[in-house]
Amino acid sequence: MVVELISVGTEILLGNIVNTNAAFLAEKCALLGLSMYHQTVVGDNEERLADTIQTAMNRSDVVILSGGLGPTQDDLTKEVAAKVLDMKLVEDKHSKERIQEYFKNSQFKIITDNNWKQALIPEGAIVIDNKNGTAPGLILEKEGKSVILLPGPPNEMIPMFNHDIFPYLNKLQPEIICSTMVKLCGLGESFVETEIADLIEKQTNPTIATYAKTGEVHLRITAKAADEKEAKKLIKPVVKELRSRFGNHIYTTEEQDTLEETIIRLLKEKELTLTTAESCTGGLLAARLTNVPGVSDVFKQGLVTYCNRAKRKLLEVKKNTLKENGAVSEKTAKEMAKNGAFITGADVCVSITGIAGPGGATDEKPVGLVYIACSYNNQVTVREFHFKGERNKVRESSVVNALILLRECIIADTEKSAKKD
Amino acid sequence: MVVELISVGTEILLGNIVNTNAAFLAEKCALLGLSMYHQTVVGDNEERLADTIQTAMNRSDVVILSGGLGPTQDDLTKEVAAKVLDMKLVEDKHSKERIQEYFKNSQFKIITDNNWKQALIPEGAIVIDNKNGTAPGLILEKEGKSVILLPGPPNEMIPMFNHDIFPYLNKLQPEIICSTMVKLCGLGESFVETEIADLIEKQTNPTIATYAKTGEVHLRITAKAADEKEAKKLIKPVVKELRSRFGNHIYTTEEQDTLEETIIRLLKEKELTLTTAESCTGGLLAARLTNVPGVSDVFKQGLVTYCNRAKRKLLEVKKNTLKENGAVSEKTAKEMAKNGAFITGADVCVSITGIAGPGGATDEKPVGLVYIACSYNNQVTVREFHFKGERNKVRESSVVNALILLRECIIADTEKSAKKD
């Protein structure tokens, strides 16, 4: 089955916003096993929009439009789609009530005439409630083809797609699609691909797709089957096989989980507190950790010691260490981590010191040289990295690898104590 | 003149990458005063790509393609474009030499046969050197229309566009386009728009366009004229008028400048050092400041005091203050800023304490309540904010408003001392 995307909005044609909706919808359609050959962006112009919808309907089975469902004169996706499909617009009682309800609970109490425009629907259309706005989604079906209209704002479109459109599209096909995301950290993409080359080679159902992220590799296992239970049965042995090959490098098999979330969870389970001692990342590691809601049980404080004096004063790094080895050295990283834990009374401390560039490099210590240390259980582990790229990239790579080292140290210790028991 | 974009790449159709190239190119084309009615994404498929190029050429004067210029079998943008325009592929000596040169300096020393494919060009095409990769850009001109082929990787495409394609497109038009970005902080978008409603109403040349960012509003003034000097002469009085209306809320008139960069520059000029004391933002403010290269002259250290104990221990916030007012209070924010500066020996300290959510809220202190304080020159200024949105958004708004408060305090002091002199 062939699907096609049409994004409606002059703001995309002017480059005022990046079309993240298209990426989201494309990934979901790929996951559903639908073939996509075209994506189009067109402005809020009646003639061009009608043309674009007609062209898309001629060559695809499903056409998904996003944007142009708002209450203003400019918004004409629904009107144009109805015209192209030769459907009459009628008032939808249910949608009207929902709009009334929405305004009652909103800060804007006055409903203007144009708001009622959003209660008009093409006759016979399937109405999808919008839980985060006033424009309902719509599915228009005609001659075996489906035209799906979604609101433009991602915070309205994404929940609506996940809740209603994904299952609708899944049912259109003879077999349903089900997938599991296996997320790995601490291994390179090409290493992972080589390790599973045999699995990829012989794959038919389920299939495995790899996605490289900074410091991480994600593997999506996708199965087609008559129902969800059957699909999950096909996926299970593949996940098991991946677990036996990659072990602890797999940090989650949950789609929504992030690396920092799993680490915070791990620390909570073990009732450990964590602190950070950062130089070149300047707070980026702490910021990423504190992006996790509920992190306060685990993370109490963090130190950003950007200059040598701060490293000495706040972290009690020895004057001699800095003098003989420099701020960017294994020894400084070790002292930062060890003293950071001791001074703040935390169980674990991760430290980062390095040269993010573009300045500060020497022949011996080039841009990208970063030392990361983790102090836990009276032991300090330190690692040297040579990251590629610009300042931003070096800082981001440092943060991810600090998270990976932190996770490894806690897990290694868990395994050790398990063996002792 | 009408321009149209075609992004070539299966990875966009699969949703593996977000099409940021299209947003970049669209913004630049808008800036050049070109009209854009369509953007299309198509995969690496000969027939569909040829169709898409043909359709675009029928309705537009300029067609810009990005992607599909690589050395592999999949990459066929150049081959297909040449076919559609009925041009023969010939070897370009200059491009061949550049590829040889590139590989000599790269880590991959071996040139495979398919690399030479990148030295083939449609006969008569204008070749644009690629300073960051092996695929040259190409401009094909035929019957008054231009088809421009650019490499897909943004780090190759963007410099090439800015350096060569922007001036080429500018010359195609009878008048050239020139623009200046005026960036404001500390004012809402609707306030700014109301204040300049008269200017926008009567605008013809130059024009003013507004762009809203978190905590900032950017105004782009664009003029058309016979040459750059003439265009700049048109822009100058508008910038002057905006300066007289918005005064110090304008933090830069340089396109590339960010708010944090201008603040760091301001601190350097005044030889002031800065520290941060963060609670709910958990290092995000320090991370944003340290993203600026050369920040170490100004920023020596930062403290992330996430729990009350850390606020007491690291920042010496009084036990009573926390008990009577709570961690999220005007008084706590003030003490954090004042003590932060004193303890670290910095001239300026900015503090943030608030409820980022989703947890931690009470009836009296809802999610989004944030206090930001700035201590400078024996004075502490504090402000209360009620931010909307989710955790991420509250944290981001807090950071921007901390930067704005910091800037205001330093500027206000400068003005005061100027008056005294």
Side-chain angles (χ1 to χ4, degrees), chain B residues 45-60:
Chain B
N45 170 284
E46 192 171 337
E47 195 188 331
R48 285 190 288 270
L49 182 53
D51 248 18
T52 306
I53 296 174
Q54 191 59 64
T55 305
M57 284 188 69
N58 293 345
R59 63 192 178 192
S60 303

PDB file of all heavy atoms in Angstrom, chain B residues 45-60:
ATOM      1  N   ASN B  45      15.014   7.210  -7.061  1.00  0.00           N
ATOM      2  CA  ASN B  45      14.366   6.363  -8.057  1.00  0.00           C
ATOM      3  C   ASN B  45      14.315   7.137  -9.365  1.00  0.00           C
ATOM      4  O   ASN B  45      13.818   8.260  -9.412  1.00  0.00           O
ATOM      5  CB  ASN B  45      12.946   6.028  -7.567  1.00  0.00           C
ATOM      6  CG  ASN B  45      12.101   5.365  -8.635  1.00  0.00           C
ATOM      7  OD1 ASN B  45      11.635   6.038  -9.553  1.00  0.00           O
ATOM      8  ND2 ASN B  45      11.909   4.074  -8.521  1.00  0.00           N
ATOM      9  N   GLU B  46      14.868   6.539 -10.415  1.00  0.00           N
ATOM     10  CA  GLU B  46      15.081   7.272 -11.653  1.00  0.00           C
ATOM     11  C   GLU B  46      13.799   7.871 -12.228  1.00  0.00           C
ATOM     12  O   GLU B  46      13.728   9.070 -12.513  1.00  0.00           O
ATOM     13  CB  GLU B  46      15.732   6.340 -12.684  1.00  0.00           C
ATOM     14  CG  GLU B  46      16.243   7.114 -13.879  1.00  0.00           C
ATOM     15  CD  GLU B  46      17.093   6.257 -14.821  1.00  0.00           C
ATOM     16  OE1 GLU B  46      17.646   5.233 -14.365  1.00  0.00           O
ATOM     17  OE2 GLU B  46      17.184   6.626 -15.996  1.00  0.00           O
ATOM     18  N   GLU B  47      12.789   7.036 -12.363  1.00  0.00           N
ATOM     19  CA  GLU B  47      11.557   7.471 -13.016  1.00  0.00           C
ATOM     20  C   GLU B  47      10.871   8.585 -12.234  1.00  0.00           C
ATOM     21  O   GLU B  47      10.495   9.626 -12.781  1.00  0.00           O
ATOM     22  CB  GLU B  47      10.625   6.266 -13.157  1.00  0.00           C
ATOM     23  CG  GLU B  47       9.482   6.493 -14.118  1.00  0.00           C
ATOM     24  CD  GLU B  47       8.506   5.327 -14.042  1.00  0.00           C
ATOM     25  OE1 GLU B  47       8.951   4.181 -13.733  1.00  0.00           O
ATOM     26  OE2 GLU B  47       7.304   5.551 -14.267  1.00  0.00           O
ATOM     27  N   ARG B  48      10.694   8.362 -10.919  1.00  0.00           N
ATOM     28  CA  ARG B  48       9.993   9.358 -10.108  1.00  0.00           C
ATOM     29  C   ARG B  48      10.782  10.660 -10.000  1.00  0.00           C
ATOM     30  O   ARG B  48      10.222  11.747  -9.991  1.00  0.00           O
ATOM     31  CB  ARG B  48       9.699   8.791  -8.717  1.00  0.00           C
ATOM     32  CG  ARG B  48       8.558   7.790  -8.717  1.00  0.00           C
ATOM     33  CD  ARG B  48       8.117   7.419  -7.319  1.00  0.00           C
ATOM     34  NE  ARG B  48       9.092   6.585  -6.642  1.00  0.00           N
ATOM     35  CZ  ARG B  48       9.102   5.241  -6.676  1.00  0.00           C
ATOM     36  NH1 ARG B  48       8.168   4.585  -7.349  1.00  0.00           N
ATOM     37  NH2 ARG B  48      10.026   4.569  -6.035  1.00  0.00           N
ATOM     38  N   LEU B  49      12.107  10.533  -9.922  1.00  0.00           N
ATOM     39  CA  LEU B  49      12.941  11.737  -9.831  1.00  0.00           C
ATOM     40  C   LEU B  49      12.842  12.551 -11.125  1.00  0.00           C
ATOM     41  O   LEU B  49      12.688  13.781 -11.095  1.00  0.00           O
ATOM     42  CB  LEU B  49      14.393  11.339  -9.534  1.00  0.00           C
ATOM     43  CG  LEU B  49      15.405  12.458  -9.368  1.00  0.00           C
ATOM     44  CD1 LEU B  49      14.953  13.475  -8.329  1.00  0.00           C
ATOM     45  CD2 LEU B  49      16.771  11.897  -8.961  1.00  0.00           C
ATOM     46  N   ALA B  50      12.889  11.859 -12.266  1.00  0.00           N
ATOM     47  CA  ALA B  50      12.777  12.546 -13.565  1.00  0.00           C
ATOM     48  C   ALA B  50      11.439  13.276 -13.667  1.00  0.00           C
ATOM     49  O   ALA B  50      11.365  14.431 -14.071  1.00  0.00           O
ATOM     50  CB  ALA B  50      12.937  11.534 -14.693  1.00  0.00           C
ATOM     51  N   ASP B  51      10.379  12.581 -13.272  1.00  0.00           N
ATOM     52  CA  ASP B  51       9.033  13.165 -13.253  1.00  0.00           C
ATOM     53  C   ASP B  51       8.983  14.431 -12.410  1.00  0.00           C
ATOM     54  O   ASP B  51       8.414  15.447 -12.818  1.00  0.00           O
ATOM     55  CB  ASP B  51       8.082  12.152 -12.599  1.00  0.00           C
ATOM     56  CG  ASP B  51       7.101  11.598 -13.599  1.00  0.00           C
ATOM     57  OD1 ASP B  51       7.378  11.721 -14.806  1.00  0.00           O
ATOM     58  OD2 ASP B  51       6.075  11.051 -13.157  1.00  0.00           O
ATOM     59  N   THR B  52       9.566  14.342 -11.230  1.00  0.00           N
ATOM     60  CA  THR B  52       9.527  15.453 -10.271  1.00  0.00           C
ATOM     61  C   THR B  52      10.293  16.656 -10.818  1.00  0.00           C
ATOM     62  O   THR B  52       9.833  17.794 -10.718  1.00  0.00           O
ATOM     63  CB  THR B  52      10.107  15.003  -8.915  1.00  0.00           C
ATOM     64  OG1 THR B  52       9.405  13.833  -8.483  1.00  0.00           O
ATOM     65  CG2 THR B  52       9.948  16.084  -7.859  1.00  0.00           C
ATOM     66  N   ILE B  53      11.455  16.403 -11.415  1.00  0.00           N
ATOM     67  CA  ILE B  53      12.248  17.498 -11.977  1.00  0.00           C
ATOM     68  C   ILE B  53      11.484  18.152 -13.138  1.00  0.00           C
ATOM     69  O   ILE B  53      11.399  19.365 -13.241  1.00  0.00           O
ATOM     70  CB  ILE B  53      13.640  17.002 -12.455  1.00  0.00           C
ATOM     71  CG1 ILE B  53      14.470  16.489 -11.273  1.00  0.00           C
ATOM     72  CG2 ILE B  53      14.403  18.118 -13.184  1.00  0.00           C
ATOM     73  CD1 ILE B  53      15.808  15.844 -11.655  1.00  0.00           C
ATOM     74  N   GLN B  54      10.886  17.308 -13.996  1.00  0.00           N
ATOM     75  CA  GLN B  54      10.152  17.829 -15.148  1.00  0.00           C
ATOM     76  C   GLN B  54       8.989  18.709 -14.702  1.00  0.00           C
ATOM     77  O   GLN B  54       8.794  19.818 -15.208  1.00  0.00           O
ATOM     78  CB  GLN B  54       9.658  16.657 -16.021  1.00  0.00           C
ATOM     79  CG  GLN B  54       9.128  17.076 -17.363  1.00  0.00           C
ATOM     80  CD  GLN B  54      10.183  17.831 -18.201  1.00  0.00           C
ATOM     81  OE1 GLN B  54      11.201  17.270 -18.574  1.00  0.00           O
ATOM     82  NE2 GLN B  54       9.958  19.124 -18.463  1.00  0.00           N
ATOM     83  N   THR B  55       8.212  18.215 -13.724  1.00  0.00           N
ATOM     84  CA  THR B  55       7.069  18.982 -13.203  1.00  0.00           C
ATOM     85  C   THR B  55       7.542  20.320 -12.640  1.00  0.00           C
ATOM     86  O   THR B  55       6.938  21.361 -12.883  1.00  0.00           O
ATOM     87  CB  THR B  55       6.366  18.182 -12.082  1.00  0.00           C
ATOM     88  OG1 THR B  55       6.009  16.915 -12.601  1.00  0.00           O
ATOM     89  CG2 THR B  55       5.130  18.900 -11.569  1.00  0.00           C
ATOM     90  N   ALA B  56       8.636  20.272 -11.875  1.00  0.00           N
ATOM     91  CA  ALA B  56       9.152  21.498 -11.252  1.00  0.00           C
ATOM     92  C   ALA B  56       9.599  22.492 -12.315  1.00  0.00           C
ATOM     93  O   ALA B  56       9.348  23.696 -12.208  1.00  0.00           O
ATOM     94  CB  ALA B  56      10.311  21.152 -10.313  1.00  0.00           C
ATOM     95  N   MET B  57      10.264  21.998 -13.373  1.00  0.00           N
ATOM     96  CA  MET B  57      10.751  22.891 -14.422  1.00  0.00           C
ATOM     97  C   MET B  57       9.604  23.528 -15.199  1.00  0.00           C
ATOM     98  O   MET B  57       9.723  24.640 -15.694  1.00  0.00           O
ATOM     99  CB  MET B  57      11.687  22.144 -15.369  1.00  0.00           C
ATOM    100  CG  MET B  57      13.058  21.913 -14.743  1.00  0.00           C
ATOM    101  SD  MET B  57      14.220  21.256 -15.943  1.00  0.00           S
ATOM    102  CE  MET B  57      14.436  22.669 -17.030  1.00  0.00           C
ATOM    103  N   ASN B  58       8.490  22.808 -15.290  1.00  0.00           N
ATOM    104  CA  ASN B  58       7.334  23.362 -16.006  1.00  0.00           C
ATOM    105  C   ASN B  58       6.725  24.555 -15.265  1.00  0.00           C
ATOM    106  O   ASN B  58       6.171  25.447 -15.888  1.00  0.00           O
ATOM    107  CB  ASN B  58       6.253  22.296 -16.199  1.00  0.00           C
ATOM    108  CG  ASN B  58       6.709  21.203 -17.149  1.00  0.00           C
ATOM    109  OD1 ASN B  58       7.693  21.375 -17.873  1.00  0.00           O
ATOM    110  ND2 ASN B  58       6.012  20.079 -17.133  1.00  0.00           N
ATOM    111  N   ARG B  59       6.817  24.544 -13.923  1.00  0.00           N
ATOM    112  CA  ARG B  59       6.093  25.581 -13.183  1.00  0.00           C
ATOM    113  C   ARG B  59       6.994  26.582 -12.464  1.00  0.00           C
ATOM    114  O   ARG B  59       6.504  27.549 -11.896  1.00  0.00           O
ATOM    115  CB  ARG B  59       5.116  24.930 -12.190  1.00  0.00           C
ATOM    116  CG  ARG B  59       5.768  24.086 -11.117  1.00  0.00           C
ATOM    117  CD  ARG B  59       4.745  23.238 -10.350  1.00  0.00           C
ATOM    118  NE  ARG B  59       5.454  22.421  -9.365  1.00  0.00           N
ATOM    119  CZ  ARG B  59       4.907  21.419  -8.694  1.00  0.00           C
ATOM    120  NH1 ARG B  59       3.645  21.100  -8.873  1.00  0.00           N
ATOM    121  NH2 ARG B  59       5.619  20.734  -7.822  1.00  0.00           N
ATOM    122  N   SER B  60       8.318  26.363 -12.468  1.00  0.00           N
ATOM    123  CA  SER B  60       9.199  27.280 -11.737  1.00  0.00           C
ATOM    124  C   SER B  60      10.371  27.733 -12.600  1.00  0.00           C
ATOM    125  O   SER B  60      10.732  27.080 -13.567  1.00  0.00           O
ATOM    126  CB  SER B  60       9.723  26.605 -10.464  1.00  0.00           C
ATOM    127  OG  SER B  60       8.648  26.187  -9.648  1.00  0.00           O
TER     128      SER B  60
END
